[in-house]
Amino acid sequence: MKLPDFLILGAQKAGCTWIYDCLKQHPEVFMPKAVELLYFNKPDFADKKLREAYEAHFTEADNFKRVGEKTPGYFWTTDRARSKTQPPSNHNADIPGAVEAVLGNNVDFIVSLRHPVWRAISAFGHHVKRERIPQNHTLKMSANSLGILDIGFYGAHLAAWAERVGIDRIEVLIFEDDIIRDPVTGFKKICKFLNIDEEFLPPKLSEPSNAGSRREIDPLGISVKGHPLLISADDIEFLLDAYEEDMSRLKTILGRAIHSWDEETAKLRAWCDNARKLTATKKTSSAVSENQEILTTPVERKNALAEYGVDASQRVVNILSSRSSVEPPARLSDMAVHGACLFGAFSYSVSGDAYATELGRYCSIAAGVNIGQFNHTMNWLSMSPFQFDQRFKLKVGAAFPFKSAYEAYAPDPSLSKLATRELSRKTIIGNDVWIGNGAKIIAGVTIGDGAVIGANAVVTKDVEPFAIVGGVPAKLIRFRFAEKLRERLLSVKWWQYAPWQLQGVPFNDPEAALDEIERRVREESMQPYSVPLVAMGDKGPELFRGE
C-alpha cells in the first residue's frame, strides 16, 4: 500500500483547502476523500487502531505517481519557551518525528502562508462561529487560546520543520501572491515541486475553496458575524507587534522579501494611527458635549437629530439608544432600532424594527420590515423567555393571589448569559439592498451587497450579493447582473462615494458607470465619503468617529 509521500502542512486559514482541491483533480496525484485526516497531530498516533484508520484512506493510491494528504494543524509546532499553553497538551509536540516514524524521511511538504494578522482575524471569526469565544472577549483577550496567535508564528514553525527535514523539502507559497493574485503560477509552482505534469490546470482554478465572508476594515473596525465586539485598533496593533520579529525571521529563512505583506502591514499601521486620531477626536467631542445644554424634551432631541442629518419619527427618537449609531444623512422614518445597530448613510426606511443590525449605505427598506429579531429557545425545556429573560414579567395586580411569589421570581443569571450567547446574533445588511414590504430577516443572517428581498419574504439564510430572493422561506429567483459584472461591482464598491461625487455618472449603464467611477478614482483621486457617526448621548445627539 502506498502512503503519502507529501503533506500539505498548513497554515490554517491560508489556502490549504484550495491546494487540496486542485491537487485532488490532478491525474497523477492521489488525495484522500477526507479533506483533513488529523493524524500526526495526535500524541497517540502510533496506536494500532489509529494507524490502521489512517492507512485505510490510501487503499486506492497504488497507481498514482504522488500521494498526499492535507491537515493544517501539522504546521503548528511546540516550543514551551514561546508559549506554555499553546499548542495544548493534546497536540503532538513532535509532529516531524511522527511523520518520519510512519512515512520515512523522503517526504515532501507544502506550506501556504497568509499575512499573519489576517490569518488570526480569520481564525477568530472561525472560533466565534463555533461559539468558542465569550461574547465579552475581544480578539486580544482571546489571542492566547485556540491557536489564534501562536499558529501565526510562521518563522518559528518553519524553522522547526526545516531543522528536522531540510528547507529544500519544503515548498512555501504566499497566499496573497501565489493563490489570490496569480493562482496559475502558484499551482504550476506546486506541480514543479512535486515533479508532476505542470501543463495540467484544474477547472475553476481561480475560484477560492472554503471561502469565508469578505472582511473589510472601516473606521469602526472589523465586524465579526455572531460577535458583538468589533476587532479594533488595539487588537490589530497587538497582532502587528506580536508578529513583527517573526515575520523578519520568516523572510530570512526564505531568503526573500514578501512585498505584499509589507504593503499590508503598512496599511494596517496607518489605519491604526488614524483610528487613534479618530478616538482622540471622539474624546474631544465628548468633552465639548459636557458643556452643551441638555436637551430635555423629546421634540428637542428629534429636532437636534434632524440638524445632524438623521430623520426619524418621534417614536423612534424616544427609544433610540446610545448603543446605536447612524451615518448621516439617513432617514429612519418609523423604523425602530433596538440594541447595538448601525444605519448607513444615504439609506432610508419606512417602518418596522431592526435588532442588533448593521445596515450598509444606499439601502431601501419598505414598510413593516422586521430585521434580526431574537429567536426563541426551541431546544430548551420551553420556548418562553421566562427561563432566562430577567426583564420578562407579565403585569399583575394586588388581587392576583401569587403576586409576591411571581414578582420575586428571577431566572438563573447563568442561563441568562447562555441564552444571550445562543440568541443574540448580529445581522448584516450590505450596501444598496432593497427589502420589500413585510419582509422578515432572522437574526444572524448576512444579506450581500445589491441584493433584493421580495415583499413578505422570510429570509432564513445568507443571501448572495445581487441576488433576488423571495418566498417563505426565501429562495433564489435570479441574480440582478451577470457574474462578471457582479464581481466588478464588488471590486469598485461604488457605494463608498456620496451622490455629489457621482454627479454625471451614467447610472442607467452599469458598465459605463463603473468605467467613469474608476476613472475619477484613478485620475482625480476621488476619495470615499467619510463622516462622523451620530448617536444619542445623555445630553442629546453627539457626533463621533467609530473606534
Side-chain angles (χ1 to χ4, degrees):
M1 176 190 300
K2 249 186 174 181
L3 290 178
D5 53 40
F6 76 90
L7 300 177
I8 304 169
L9 299 178
Q12 292 177 359
K13 300 297 178 182
C16 291
T17 303
W18 177 86
I19 299 173
Y20 165 89
D21 286 341
C22 291
L23 286 175
K24 195 172 191 297
Q25 299 173 71
H26 199 292
E28 296 181 291
V29 177
F30 177 86
M31 300 294 290
K33 293 179 181 178
V35 180
E36 295 183 15
L37 299 190
L38 301 167
Y39 174 61
F40 293 111
N41 55 316
K42 295 177 180 177
D44 55 346
F45 71 93
D47 178 84
K48 183 179 179 181
K49 289 184 178 180
L50 289 178
R51 173 74 176 263
E52 289 175 351
Y54 181 73
E55 292 178 349
H57 289 286
F58 304 96
T59 55
E60 300 176 4
D62 288 346
N63 296 324
F64 290 84
K65 183 175 182 180
R66 300 301 302 254
V67 179
E69 68 119 323
K70 163 236 167 185
T71 300
Y74 294 168
F75 195 60
W76 193 8
T77 62
T78 301
D79 181 354
R80 290 305 174 213
R82 183 182 70 241
S83 174
K84 294 181 180 179
T85 61
Q86 299 287 289
S89 58
N90 62 353
H91 183 88
N92 186 2
D94 184 17
I95 295 176
V99 171
E100 185 176 358
V102 176
L103 303 180
N105 56 9
N106 290 314
V107 180
D108 292 321
F109 305 92
I110 299 171
V111 174
S112 177
L113 303 178
R114 177 184 181 185
H115 192 292
V117 170
W118 284 109
R119 193 221 63 84
I121 290 170
S122 182
F124 180 74
H126 170 86
H127 293 300
V128 165
K129 184 177 181 180
R130 283 152 183 77
E131 299 183 348
R132 297 167 182 159
I133 305 293
Q135 291 278 291
N136 61 344
H137 276 206
T138 62
L139 187 154
K140 183 177 179 180
M141 294 167 64
S142 308
N144 289 314
S145 64
L146 302 168
I148 292 172
L149 178 68
D150 199 61
I151 289 174
F153 289 117
Y154 305 143
H157 303 314
L158 186 60
W161 272 97
E163 184 179 358
R164 294 293 296 271
V165 305
I167 193 65
D168 58 316
R169 302 202 75 91
I170 305 174
E171 180 67 24
V172 178
L173 272 65
I174 301 301
F175 174 77
E176 292 82 354
D177 298 334
D178 299 316
I179 296 179
I180 299 300
R181 184 180 60 82
D182 191 356
V184 172
T185 301
F187 184 66
K188 285 181 177 291
K189 186 184 296 185
I190 295 172
C191 293
K192 182 177 181 180
F193 175 70
L194 295 177
N195 192 28
I196 55 178
D197 183 8
E198 297 177 39
E199 298 306 313
F200 173 81
L201 294 178
K204 299 182 179 179
L205 180 67
S206 297
E207 294 185 8
S209 300
N210 197 23
S213 58
R214 177 190 300 236
R215 296 199 187 281
E216 295 178 359
I217 188 167
D218 59 30
L220 286 173
I222 299 173
S223 175
V224 178
K225 184 178 179 181
H227 198 66
L229 303 178
L230 294 173
I231 295 175
S232 68
D234 277 344
D235 298 313
I236 294 173
E237 283 186 334
F238 166 77
L239 293 174
L240 287 168
D241 292 342
Y243 290 133
E244 184 174 15
E245 184 177 338
D246 186 81
M247 282 197 282
S248 296
R249 182 182 186 182
L250 174 67
K251 293 172 188 176
T252 300
I253 296 173
L254 297 178
R256 62 186 174 94
I258 309 176
H259 297 300
S260 58
W261 286 13
D262 293 341
E263 291 172 3
E264 191 58 37
T265 296
K267 289 178 183 177
L268 289 169
R269 289 283 187 196
W271 181 87
C272 290
D273 291 342
N274 190 51
R276 297 295 181 207
K277 294 175 183 177
L278 295 180
T279 302
T281 300
K282 179 180 176 182
K283 291 178 179 178
T284 302
S285 182
S286 298
V288 171
S289 68
E290 292 177 2
N291 299 319
Q292 78 179 54
E293 181 182 352
I294 299 176
L295 302 178
T296 56
T297 71
V299 174
E300 286 177 333
R301 290 177 172 243
K302 180 179 183 299
N303 292 340
L305 273 176
E307 290 294 322
Y308 282 118
V310 180
D311 183 3
S313 71
Q314 190 66 65
R315 180 183 77 90
V316 170
V317 173
N318 292 347
I319 64 172
L320 191 61
S321 160
S322 61
R323 297 174 63 202
S324 290
S325 54
V326 181
E327 184 186 40
R331 187 171 75 214
L332 277 65
S333 296
D334 205 36
M335 168 162 273
V337 291
H338 309 270
C341 290
L342 173 62
F343 203 92
F346 313 111
S347 291
Y348 73 92
S349 56
V350 178
S351 64
D353 295 270
Y355 302 79
T357 296
E358 181 178 311
L359 186 88
R361 294 177 173 181
Y362 293 97
C363 290
S364 305
I365 314 298
V369 170
N370 186 295
I371 304 174
Q373 189 164 13
F374 298 150
N375 292 322
H376 288 257
T377 49
M378 290 189 290
N379 58 337
W380 288 33
L381 175 66
S382 170
M383 292 181 287
S384 170
F386 88 91
Q387 305 166 106
F388 57 83
D389 193 339
Q390 301 286 341
R391 300 167 297 178
F392 180 75
K393 280 288 171 65
L394 304 175
K395 291 183 179 180
V396 296
F400 179 62
F402 302 101
K403 182 177 186 297
S404 355
Y406 181 64
E407 292 183 341
Y409 167 75
D412 184 336
S414 64
L415 291 179
S416 299
K417 292 180 180 179
L418 180 60
T420 298
R421 288 197 298 271
E422 290 187 3
L423 303 179
S424 300
R425 295 180 294 165
K426 191 172 185 179
T427 305
I428 307 293
I429 310 295
N431 303 280
D432 192 34
V433 172
W434 174 21
I435 304 178
N437 280 53
K440 291 179 173 56
I441 300 170
I442 69 166
V445 162
T446 294
I447 308 295
D449 296 318
V452 177
I453 311 301
N456 298 312
V458 177
V459 181
T460 60
K461 59 183 180 180
D462 292 354
V463 176
E464 292 186 71
F466 305 102
I468 301 175
V469 302
V472 182
K475 294 182 180 179
L476 177 66
I477 298 172
R478 64 180 177 87
F479 285 98
R480 290 175 56 202
F481 306 111
E483 184 178 0
K484 286 187 177 180
L485 180 52
R486 298 200 303 271
E487 291 175 353
R488 193 176 176 203
L489 283 160
L490 291 173
S491 176
V492 174
K493 300 186 186 70
W494 66 262
W495 45 81
Q496 296 180 94
Y497 308 103
W500 56 88
Q501 295 176 287
L502 302 175
Q503 184 75 39
V505 168
F507 300 119
N508 61 325
D509 184 340
E511 291 281 8
L514 294 178
D515 287 343
E516 175 59 17
I517 292 169
E518 288 179 323
R519 186 198 66 77
R520 294 183 186 187
V521 172
R522 182 178 62 254
E523 298 179 8
E524 301 174 10
S525 300
M526 184 169 70
Q527 297 298 311
Y529 171 72
S530 178
V531 67
L533 302 177
V534 179
M536 187 64 75
D538 294 336
K539 298 182 180 182
E542 294 179 353
L543 282 177
F544 68 93
R545 292 279 186 176
E547 296 183 41

